[in-house]
Amino acid sequence: MPEKETERVSTYERHVLDNGLRILTANLPEAQSVTCMVMLAAGSRYETPDTNGIAHFSEHMFFKGTERRPSARQIAGEIDAIGGEFNAFTGKEYTAYYVKCAADHRAVALDVIADMLRNSRFDGEEIEREKGVIVEEMNMYFDTPRDFIGGVYEELLYGDQPLGWDIIGKKETVRSATRDTFTSYLDRWYKPSRMVLGLGGKVGDDALAKAQELFGDLPAGDTGEPDPVAGYANGQVRVFTKQSDQAHVILGVPSYPIEHPDRYTLQVLSTVLGGGMSSRLFTEVRERRGLAYYVFGLNHSYTDAGSLYAQAGVDINRIDEAVTTILGELRSIAADVVPSDELEKARNFAKGRFVLQLESPQGLILFGLRREVLERHAPDLDEVIDGLNAVTAEDVQRVAQDLIADEKLRLAVIGPFADAERFEKLLV
């Protein structure tokens, strides 16, 4: 049964095929487009040391040709012919493939996605050719410290286990990949029980029938689960030495898993710290001190781990001041109750951004699929708003005091520095 509608957005209908594949629809009858997306509970967390990067590499290879559409050009041409957009993305705990198009061409979009996921050839020559593309993507990633700093930070948090590895992998594992590397990974994890087909926008009347036709005969299979995250500690600071005119820093603490009871309190806490241009971090680090062009704070949670952190790109000559300023804001929110007006501003900011992301068919179905894939149930949009409304200033301080302690601090730095000890002294 569809969930109750709210005044804010349409909500979701959820169905399960006999083989375990789930279908999530978010119908917006007034829309003229539809987003068709398949999301899988499989990402770089599901890799081994020898296959690090294969989840992301596989995502590339699905676009390279099927039996019916033997080349990347033919797949792209079919989507171009309906004026659609298609792409994919890989995370640590999920991977997604999608097509956005006019609703009249929904059947073509679904057929292309199903064909790619079920019948891709993984041709040996294409694999070898794509290795060069992936390596250049790696070079771009490593040369973009604003992006790469996240990998440095998560390696500091999680160490040598899948959550601590870069999604894009290592050059040696990518270069050594063979067709068997792909098929063994996909045969293990790309099962119906881990797949959710989502349609957002003008869904139409035949979504279930089409899903049954395209995916209903996929054989069911038990995949097991990836290893849970293990506790890890190896110092408080990680410095990645790189000659640059700007330093990038992340300073944070471990936080809660995605389904923690305090998830909405944590969201409000991170918003007070670094959500928007009137947040504490933006005001103090950029506006008052001129230490950074960009600075923000957020919480990012996995199914069994999480981190609350601040990130900034700062003047290399004033990096010590930047770190101590960010640290001061972290300590302050734990020491003092957030004033009521600031709490309400942060609450409304979080609610407003939540509603805005649901305004488009793609945003609506993407939110639903992430919840369904990571938490195995369709989201209740009322629950999110109600959860944010229930957060008190005392809740924010309680969670801040639980998380923010000197011994829990972790600092990642990219810049022309070699000495971690100088930064460790700043955290005392």
Side-chain angles (χ1 to χ4, degrees), residues 3 14 22 24 259 263 368-380 383:
E3 296 184 34
R14 181 184 191 270
R22 287 156 284 163
L24 200 67
E259 291 191 84
R263 66 191 301 174
L369 286 176
R370 281 182 173 143
R371 283 290 183 98
E372 178 64 48
V373 164
L374 297 178
E375 303 177 37
R376 297 198 69 83
H377 60 80
D380 178 351
E383 175 212 314

Side-chain angles (χ1 to χ4, degrees), residues 277-297:
M277 296 173 66
S278 61
S279 66
R280 292 185 177 189
L281 285 169
F282 196 93
T283 300
E284 192 65 30
V285 175
R286 175 171 158 158
E287 296 301 303
R288 289 184 181 154
R289 296 175 183 263
L291 292 166
Y293 171 69
Y294 85 89
V295 59
F296 61 85

